Amino acid sequence: AQTVTQSQPEMSVQEAETVTLSCTYDTSENNYYLFWYKQPPSRQMILVIRQEAYKQQNATENRFSVNFQKAAKSFSLKISDSQLGDTAMYFCAFMKLGGGSEKLVFGKGTKLTVNP
Amino acid sequence: GAGVSQTPSNKVTEKGKYVELRCDPISGHTALYWYRQSLGQGPEFLIYFQGTGAADDSGLPNDRFFAVRPEGSVSTLKIQRTERGDSAVYLCASSAYLDNEQFFGPGTRLTVL
């Protein structure tokens, strides 16, 4: 079974600064995706960024980028130029491909607060 | 277009009662997932539908939990003889065929007194 670990329960950052959220995972699979989801107080999970395991190049989406270290099974999220609207819970998630259901396995989350 | 919707937004019930939670996926999405999110935790997988059939129900915690999707669109999660430990936010997500992005609804917060 796959597991996802987020070791930082809470983090804070000043507006306009950069913050990095950590995520490690454990799997014996070779074919998978990794995701970062954002969950604001409204409870709606929103996809921030995803990474295919077979791609060596790190994914980027505007101010969001990842550092994917496949051998180390590490998948951190970097948020640049932090904005007040980035305040939310952030979940790292793993998806095994080809298993039939492609369900997401989530970590426990990191609560990020962006301070003005 | 409309996203995934879930009703009710909040549900309060008494221990031992039966509840139904509804999910309306994005139109045309064949895959539908249910997750349960307990306080302070990440979502945990419950069940996956591809079309009308439950392709993976390995996450259902016991036989008090059941879900249906009779016409391949709307899904209902049914919980019998509710227990206080069932209190959580129940999230629904849908995705298009062969697409790995799951779109989530706002969830139903279930409170069992």
Side-chain angles (χ1 to χ4, degrees), chain B residues 65-87:
Chain B
F65 289 75
F66 188 71
V68 296
R69 193 185 186 199
E71 297 179 358
S73 179
V74 170
S75 176
T76 305
L77 178 65
K78 308 180 180 194
I79 311 174
Q80 299 177 322
R81 305 183 302 280
T82 52
E83 300 178 356
R84 293 192 179 90
D86 298 335
S87 295

Side-chain angles (χ1 to χ4, degrees), chain B residues 1 4-5 12 16 22 33 35 41-42 49 51 53 55 58 70-74 78 81 93 96-97 99 104 113:
Chain B
V4 178
S5 62
V12 180
R22 177 188 168 106
Y33 301 80
Y35 295 86
Q41 303 293 317
F49 288 89
S58 62
E71 297 179 358
S73 179
V74 170
K78 308 180 180 194
R81 305 183 302 280
Y97 183 63
D99 186 357
F104 282 80
L113 301 176

Side-chain angles (χ1 to χ4, degrees), chain A residues 43, chain B residues 5-12 19-23 90 106-110:
Chain A
R43 300 197 306 243
Chain B
S5 62
Q6 292 186 245
T7 54
S9 178
N10 291 281
K11 176 71 176 177
V12 180
V19 296
E20 290 189 351
L21 312 179
R22 177 188 168 106
C23 171
Y90 290 81
T108 294
R109 180 179 299 280
L110 175 67

Side-chain angles (χ1 to χ4, degrees), chain A residues 33 35 37 39 42-47 50 91 95 97 100-109, chain B residues 9-10 33 35 37 40-43 45 48 56 58 89 99-102 104-109:
Chain A
Y33 274 71
F35 302 82
Y37 276 89
Q39 187 178 42
S42 66
R43 300 197 306 243
Q44 187 100 36
M45 296 282 273
I46 302 164
L47 178 65
R50 64 177 149 181
F91 292 95
M95 177 192 284
L97 297 181
S101 72
E102 296 178 343
K103 60 196 175 194
L104 290 164
V105 176
F106 287 88
K108 289 189 175 182
Chain B
S9 178
N10 291 281
Y33 301 80
Y35 295 86
Q37 186 174 20
Q41 303 293 317
F45 169 77
Y48 158 68
D56 182 356
S58 62
V89 173
D99 186 357
N100 296 311
E101 181 174 357
Q102 294 183 20
F104 282 80
T108 294
R109 180 179 299 280

Side-chain angles (χ1 to χ4, degrees), chain A residues 10-80:
Chain A
E10 293 191 41
M11 292 196 72
S12 62
V13 63
Q14 292 300 121
E15 196 175 6
E17 294 188 346
T18 296
V19 64
T20 298
L21 308 184
S22 300
C23 172
T24 59
Y25 59 96
D26 187 22
T27 186
S28 58
E29 303 291 334
N30 276 319
N31 197 14
Y32 55 88
Y33 274 71
L34 294 163
F35 302 82
W36 279 97
Y37 276 89
K38 170 185 178 181
Q39 187 178 42
S42 66
R43 300 197 306 243
Q44 187 100 36
M45 296 282 273
I46 302 164
L47 178 65
V48 174
I49 198 166
R50 64 177 149 181
Q51 173 81 42
E52 297 92 326
Y54 68 87
K55 287 188 178 179
Q56 293 186 341
Q57 185 173 6
N58 290 322
T60 62
E61 286 287 343
N62 301 313
R63 298 183 295 108
F64 300 88
S65 62
V66 299
N67 184 2
F68 174 47
Q69 301 290 328
K70 190 173 183 179
K73 296 180 183 173
S74 171
F75 183 62
S76 62
L77 174 69
K78 185 171 83 171
I79 306 174
S80 304

